[in-house]
Amino acid sequence: MEDILNSLSTYGYIALFIYSLGGGFFGIVAASTLSYMGKMDMATSMAVAFLSNYIGDMGLFYMARYNKDMIKPYMKNHRRKFALSNLLVKKYGDWVVFIQKFIYGVKTLVPVAMGFSKYSFLKFGLLNIPASTLFVAFFGFISYQSSEAIIAAATYIKSKPWIYPLVIIAIGSAIYFYFEKVTKKKENRG
């Protein structure tokens, strides 16, 4: 276990950067917990996560804006989530840049939806700075403060490895059923 922690402290910032490009928060949780354990630096971890998160969203927006033909084939499999993203953009306007960071499953689609629209690239970039900062600070702070519990849970799961698949299945099922409910077609009532 110590070898893994030493490897993470060596390559953790690179892994955090790559993982955070997609807007994931598990990397921030892991980096915060490792910072609590003294294996990584909290300020550096949060700076890396912020930069990566910002670049990831800007890249998605840019690709959607200037390479629509390349992005459209990937959207076919996510039509309902993409429709939900468009509804969020219309309903919440500028606030969706902040909101989308915290909604798993649409956080990568909202920048694409905004890139397809006539939304200002500069405005998105400027709003993405505080949105990325808030996202990273929120999960970083909570994770750092909860590190004892996270470490205890990891130790418990390590002693009973059958729990891990159950947790993954439960989280995956919850996400699936959430999106089925949110994106379900409304029946016509006459």
Side-chain angles (χ1 to χ4, degrees), residues 87-107:
L87 287 173
L88 289 172
V89 170
K90 288 178 184 173
K91 185 174 182 180
Y92 296 108
D94 293 345
W95 286 105
V96 80
V97 177
F98 292 87
I99 296 167
Q100 60 98 12
K101 300 274 188 191
F102 297 91
I103 303 175
Y104 184 82
V106 297
K107 67 174 69 180

Side-chain angles (χ1 to χ4, degrees), residues 5 7-20 24-50 52 135-148 150-151:
L5 289 176
S7 293
L8 284 173
S9 64
T10 303
Y11 301 107
Y13 299 110
I14 296 168
L16 176 62
F17 183 85
I18 292 168
Y19 185 80
S20 295
F25 67 92
F26 288 116
I28 298 168
V29 171
S32 297
T33 304
L34 287 168
S35 295
Y36 179 83
M37 297 170 66
K39 300 294 182 180
M40 292 177 77
D41 178 63
M42 185 68 173
T44 305
S45 296
M46 295 304 99
V48 167
F50 161 78
S52 178
F135 174 73
V136 169
F138 177 79
F139 283 109
F141 178 76
I142 287 177
S143 302
Y144 190 84
Q145 295 299 317
S146 305
S147 290
E148 287 291 330
I150 293 168
I151 293 167

Side-chain angles (χ1 to χ4, degrees), residues 74-89 96 100 103-114 116 172 174-185:
Y74 297 104
M75 293 296 108
K76 284 184 180 180
N77 297 332
H78 303 285
R79 273 184 264 216
R80 293 167 104 185
K81 289 181 195 174
F82 191 66
L84 175 62
S85 299
N86 281 321
L87 287 173
L88 289 172
V89 170
V96 80
Q100 60 98 12
I103 303 175
Y104 184 82
V106 297
K107 67 174 69 180
T108 54
L109 295 177
V110 168
V112 172
M114 294 178 97
F116 281 157
I175 292 168
Y176 174 80
F177 287 117
Y178 168 76
F179 280 112
E180 282 298 310
K181 181 181 179 197
V182 170
T183 62
K184 188 175 184 178
K185 294 179 184 177

Side-chain angles (χ1 to χ4, degrees), residues 45-60:
S45 296
M46 295 304 99
V48 167
F50 161 78
L51 185 63
S52 178
N53 190 279
Y54 181 82
I55 291 170
D57 278 358
M58 294 306 292
L60 288 169

